Amino acid sequence: MTAAECLAQERIWFDKPRYDEAERQFYERMNGPTQPKQDTGANSILQDIARARENIQKSLAGLKTTLQPSRGSAPKISNPSHRLSPSGGGGAADYGELAAHMKDLELENQSLHEVVQELRSALSKMESRVSALEKRTTAPTVNGTSPAAPQKALPGPAKQEEEDEDEDDIDLFGSDEEVGEEAERLKEQRLQEYAAKKAKNPALIAKSSILLDVKPWDDETDMAKLEECVRSVQVDGLLWGASKLVPVGYGIKKLQINCVVEDDKVGTDFLEEEITKFEDYVQSVDVAAFNKI
């Protein structure tokens, strides 16, 4: 068999390139001319760039919505895709500004966390102090019972004997008249005992120390006679003390004399009235000092 016969028997599509070209032309007429391979690669790169821009724009929009509640008024970002696009001239500066802004927000958030932590610790301390004060104010109980009250002083033997006598004197089965008569008798007996006890213990006598200034009429008055007249006033509860002459002026001297009196028996008005009765020697009487003893 020759080579021509072998090739004749083989099923080879020698016209395939021609049919492929015809098919390409058909689809070009149907869908438009196809771009060369180099244009197809450029379109894929542009599509990737567009997707990247879209993703960046979405991220910036989400960041803007997150920052607006925490900050009062955030600067408005217009067309972020142009700012961050690789082709823009100020993209690096805008990115640096955004990074600085994010850093400030992180620092502020950290400081707020520290303040909240301090407030929590202070609140916990205050709660512990309040609980401790409440425990102090509430009386401690032991086995469900409150602490025992301080015991009162035990009555003396005399008081105890009187109470025993009162209990012995009470008749639970007696009549009301007998009880009334017995109570009256006990009352009178106790009053008599109290009066006798008071009589045995003398009452404290209130006394006062009085310093009197007795002034004469002129410098010719006999001061020795004047003092004699003053000391001549003698009553129960009056005791004269030391005296001296005090110059007043123009050669006139006054008599300054001390006395002790019982308040219930002698008063300053009585002394002034009695001393001023000596009109020939005494002009006036004044109380210079009055002290309780």
Side-chain angles (χ1 to χ4, degrees), residues 47-69:
Q47 288 177 1
D48 293 338
I49 292 172
R51 290 195 200 94
R53 288 181 179 178
E54 186 177 357
N55 292 332
I56 291 171
Q57 188 174 4
K58 290 180 180 179
S59 300
L60 290 175
L63 180 62
K64 182 179 178 182
T65 55
T66 305
L67 293 177
Q68 279 180 353

Side-chain angles (χ1 to χ4, degrees), residues 36-272:
K37 293 181 179 180
Q38 185 177 1
D39 295 341
T40 304
N43 286 334
S44 64
I45 292 172
L46 292 175
Q47 288 177 1
D48 293 338
I49 292 172
R51 290 195 200 94
R53 288 181 179 178
E54 186 177 357
N55 292 332
I56 291 171
Q57 188 174 4
K58 290 180 180 179
S59 300
L60 290 175
L63 180 62
K64 182 179 178 182
T65 55
T66 305
L67 293 177
Q68 279 180 353
S70 61
R71 305 285 291 187
S73 59
K76 185 176 180 180
I77 301 173
S78 62
N79 199 1
S81 62
H82 289 293
R83 287 193 175 187
L84 298 177
S85 63
S87 61
D94 293 338
Y95 181 76
E97 182 181 357
L98 182 60
H101 187 60
M102 289 293 294
K103 188 174 182 181
D104 293 338
L105 288 176
E106 289 177 358
L107 293 175
E108 184 178 358
N109 191 14
Q110 186 177 1
S111 63
L112 288 175
H113 277 297
E114 292 177 357
V115 171
V116 170
Q117 191 67 23
E118 291 177 358
L119 290 175
R120 286 179 179 175
S121 62
L123 183 60
S124 63
K125 291 180 180 178
M126 189 175 295
E127 288 178 353
S128 62
R129 290 185 64 184
V130 169
S131 61
L133 290 174
E134 288 178 354
K135 290 179 181 178
R136 288 182 185 176
T137 52
T138 56
T141 57
V142 179
N143 296 328
T145 59
S146 59
Q151 297 181 354
K152 295 182 179 179
L154 295 174
K159 190 173 181 181
Q160 187 68 30
E161 290 177 359
E162 291 180 359
E163 291 179 357
D164 295 340
E165 291 178 358
D166 294 342
E167 292 177 358
D168 295 338
D169 294 337
I170 296 174
D171 187 7
L172 298 177
F173 300 99
S175 62
D176 295 339
E177 294 180 357
E178 292 178 356
V179 172
E181 293 177 357
E182 189 68 20
E184 288 292 335
R185 187 180 64 79
L186 288 173
K187 184 177 179 181
E188 291 178 359
Q189 182 180 356
R190 289 181 180 178
L191 287 173
Q192 292 175 1
E193 292 176 356
Y194 177 74
K197 188 183 294 185
K198 190 175 181 181
K200 291 179 182 179
N201 298 327
L204 184 63
I205 300 173
K207 295 182 180 181
S208 301
S209 175
I210 303 173
L211 184 63
L212 298 175
D213 285 344
V214 184
K215 298 177 182 178
W217 289 104
D218 51 22
D219 57 345
E220 296 179 356
T221 304
D222 188 358
M223 298 304 294
K225 186 65 177 176
L226 187 145
E227 183 177 356
E228 184 181 351
C229 293
V230 171
R231 291 184 181 274
S232 65
V233 178
Q234 296 291 334
V235 291
D236 186 18
L238 173 61
L239 179 63
W240 293 106
S243 63
K244 63 179 180 178
L245 297 177
V246 179
V248 178
Y250 302 101
I252 302 174
K253 296 181 180 180
K254 66 179 180 179
L255 175 64
Q256 199 170 63
I257 186 169
N258 189 17
C259 65
V260 177
V261 298
E262 295 181 8
D263 295 343
D264 295 338
K265 297 179 180 180
V266 182
T268 56
D269 295 338
F270 171 78
L271 292 175
E272 290 178 5

